[in-house]
């Protein structure tokens, strides 16, 4: 843990050092103490809590929809080679297009209210989850599959004893990538007709030329993202006790 904090501390010291020497104007790079004071002020007046809660709600709903959809679609594509051969080229092509490019089209179907935010976040989540789940199931070792045939496993036994344990590591990787994509798309969707949320707070700070507000919102988004990723890693260790050494070695 101490080793992992080395680089952040070095960057923080470099930030403080450059601010004190005035290498960049305060309007471009506010000092760390200014950003911290902004966070404290936003916390005390309750606005940071309100904006954070709104963003968390949007990410929670969008991520849940996207993750469940991605796991289901990935399972179907991974288990059914015929459907995968038919759908995979189109899905791969769609996955190459950034979420931002789909927003104008999605606005025509769902409007610009909360539904747009949920759909965009869910879309961003579903893409990496589907990709990872499909590949993890499709790439299960043929030797393991042959073992299931030798023991005459039922479909349920085949899934629970062979496919799922072999595919879980890659599936969790997809879930973590989907969570990261959800947070990244959050800022994008909160640009559209939104008057609350951490993404809106960043845009509001930019419009006011208050970079300390922008950086404060960025730090909160980063801290929450890291925390949620850590929760997923702990969940992964819990459901994969046989793989705990590999997980700790990351």
């Amino acid at each position: 843990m101490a080793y992992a904090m080395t680089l952040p501390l070095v960057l923080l010291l470099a930030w403080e050092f450059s601010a004190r020497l005035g290498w960049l104007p305060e309007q471009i790079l506010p000092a760390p103490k200014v950003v911290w004071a902004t966070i404290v002020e936003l916390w005390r007046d309750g606005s940071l809590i309100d904006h954070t809660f709104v963003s968390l709600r949007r990410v929670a709903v969008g991520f849940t929809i996207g993750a469940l959809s991605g796991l289901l679609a990935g399972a179907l594509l991974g288990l059914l080679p015929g459907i995968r051969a038919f759908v995979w080229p189109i899905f791969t092509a769609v996955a190459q297009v950034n979420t931002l490019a789909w927003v104008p089209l999605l606005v025509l179907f769902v409007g610009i209210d909360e539904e747009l935010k949920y759909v965009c976040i869910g879309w961003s989540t579903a893409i990496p989850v589907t990709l990872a789940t499909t590949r993890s199931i499709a790439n299960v070792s043929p030797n393991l599959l042959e073992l299931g045939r030798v023991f005459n496993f039922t479909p349920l036994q085949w899934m629970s004893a062979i496919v799922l344990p072999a595919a879980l590591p890659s599936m969790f990787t997809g879930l973590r990538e989907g969570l990261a994509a959800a947070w990244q798309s959050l800022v994008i969707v909160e640009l559209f007709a939104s008057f609350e949320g951490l993404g809106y707070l960043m845009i509001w700070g930019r419009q006011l030329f208050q970079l300390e507000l922008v950086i404060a919102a960025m730090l909160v988004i980063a801290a929450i993202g890291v925390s949620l990723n850590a929760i997923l890693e702990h969940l992964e260790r819990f459901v994969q006790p046989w793989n705990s050494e590999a997980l700790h070695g990351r």
Side-chain angles (χ1 to χ4, degrees):
M1 182 64 180
Y3 182 76
M5 292 300 296
T6 302
L7 182 57
L9 288 175
V10 170
L11 293 175
L12 180 61
L13 290 174
W15 179 11
E16 175 67 24
F17 188 68
S18 62
R20 290 194 177 190
L21 292 181
W23 287 352
L24 287 174
E26 188 173 318
Q27 293 81 4
I28 297 178
L29 184 65
K33 64 179 181 181
V34 176
V35 176
W36 176 250
T38 301
I39 294 176
V40 172
E41 181 182 352
L42 292 172
W43 177 270
R44 286 177 177 173
D45 65 20
S47 58
L48 181 60
I49 297 175
D50 294 338
H51 287 297
T52 301
F53 177 78
V54 170
S55 292
L56 281 173
R57 185 192 69 222
R58 289 169 176 165
V59 170
V61 174
F63 176 76
T64 300
I65 294 173
L68 292 178
S69 301
L71 289 172
L72 178 60
L76 290 175
L77 292 175
L79 293 171
L80 302 175
I83 296 179
R84 183 169 70 249
F86 181 72
V87 174
W88 193 250
I90 298 177
F91 179 80
T92 304
V94 171
Q96 306 308 310
V97 183
N98 189 275
T99 305
L100 181 60
W102 294 102
V103 171
L105 184 61
L106 293 174
V107 168
L108 298 176
F109 292 96
V110 300
I112 58 175
D113 294 327
E114 288 297 295
E115 290 79 7
L116 174 66
K117 301 168 181 61
Y118 296 148
V119 170
C120 287
I121 295 173
W123 186 293
S124 299
T125 301
I127 295 296
V129 173
T130 303
L131 289 171
T133 304
T134 301
R135 289 167 177 163
S136 64
I137 294 177
N139 293 332
V140 173
S141 172
N143 294 332
L144 293 176
L145 299 179
E146 182 62 28
L147 183 64
R149 296 189 187 96
V150 170
F151 284 99
N152 292 319
F153 280 176
T154 64
L156 181 59
Q157 291 174 324
W158 183 70
M159 281 293 299
S160 61
I162 295 179
V163 175
L164 193 58
L168 269 178
S170 295
M171 290 169 63
F172 267 99
T173 299
L175 287 172
R176 288 197 300 273
E177 291 177 354
L179 182 60
W183 275 105
Q184 292 167 8
S185 64
L186 171 71
V187 178
I188 296 175
V189 297
E190 288 185 341
L191 292 174
F192 295 90
S194 180
F195 299 98
E196 51 187 355
L198 293 171
Y200 166 75
L201 198 61
M202 292 175 59
I203 303 307
W204 179 246
R206 181 185 61 81
Q207 292 174 344
L208 296 177
F209 295 100
Q210 295 180 355
L211 270 297
E212 66 274 11
L213 193 57
V214 176
I215 297 175
M218 290 172 60
L219 290 175
V220 174
I221 290 174
I224 295 175
V226 170
S227 300
L228 292 177
N229 183 73
I231 292 174
L232 275 179
E233 287 187 348
H234 283 292
L235 179 61
E236 184 175 1
R237 293 190 186 103
F238 177 76
V239 300
Q240 298 182 94
W242 62 86
N243 201 30
S244 60
E245 291 184 3
L247 289 169
H248 282 291
R250 283 180 184 171

